[in-house]
Amino acid sequence: MNRRKSRTTGVVAVTVIGRYFTQLDLAMEDEGAFSGLEGLFSENASLRLKGYDEIRGCGKIREFFQALLGKNREMKHVWEIVPEQGGFRVPWAAACVSKAGDVFTMEGTDHIVLDADGKIQSLFLGIGTEA
């Protein structure tokens, strides 16, 4: 694991994290958005979600999001970015429409660490009470 201190600025973080949520929303309508999502992660990025094994590598992370988001027809996120020790805490909410036409909401808090190149190195998905 690379332990060098990240020099990622707040502006880069806001841009990358904003693109992450925007790409999630776009992926409902455009399969190509998954490529844009994958490009936001470092090559050996990790994704953690309570109750699941760690997912490592941007390709595997893309597959995870395709399976997770493939159940929905539409999704729209709102979020706030809060700096924290070593990364960012990102409370979020999403309004969704499933492929079956059901409307529902989700909320949580993600924890994101960017690498020195401004790519997502680590993502902990905090959904609901897992935040």
Side-chain angles (χ1 to χ4, degrees), residues 2-131:
N2 187 348
R3 296 208 181 267
R4 70 182 167 157
K5 186 172 182 171
S6 173
R7 294 182 302 266
T8 305
T9 66
V11 173
V12 170
V14 168
T15 301
V16 170
I17 294 169
R19 285 185 58 214
Y20 161 72
F21 282 106
T22 301
Q23 292 299 117
L24 289 176
D25 293 344
L26 291 173
M28 301 298 103
E29 300 172 17
D30 178 12
E31 183 72 21
F34 283 109
S35 294
L37 181 64
E38 183 178 353
L40 297 174
F41 288 85
S42 67
E43 185 72 24
N44 294 311
S46 68
L47 182 146
R48 294 177 295 125
L49 177 63
K50 187 176 180 178
Y52 293 88
D53 292 336
E54 178 181 58
I55 298 166
R56 186 161 291 278
C58 57
K60 294 287 186 187
I61 291 171
R62 174 187 172 142
E63 291 172 11
F64 168 82
F65 279 116
Q66 284 177 311
L68 179 70
L69 301 176
K71 301 173 184 175
N72 299 316
R73 186 174 67 214
E74 188 174 351
M75 179 180 283
K76 183 65 177 167
H77 284 87
V78 294
W79 63 91
E80 190 68 37
I81 301 169
V82 182
E84 66 178 3
Q85 183 70 26
F88 301 89
R89 180 174 58 83
V90 187
W92 58 268
C96 311
V97 180
S98 73
K99 286 190 174 175
D102 299 318
V103 176
F104 63 99
T105 61
M106 298 187 308
E107 65 179 324
T109 301
D110 291 354
H111 296 273
I112 299 174
V113 175
L114 301 179
D115 67 12
D117 297 321
K119 293 197 171 203
I120 298 171
Q121 179 63 46
S122 171
L123 170 60
F124 173 78
L125 289 176
I127 299 174
T129 58
E130 298 169 11

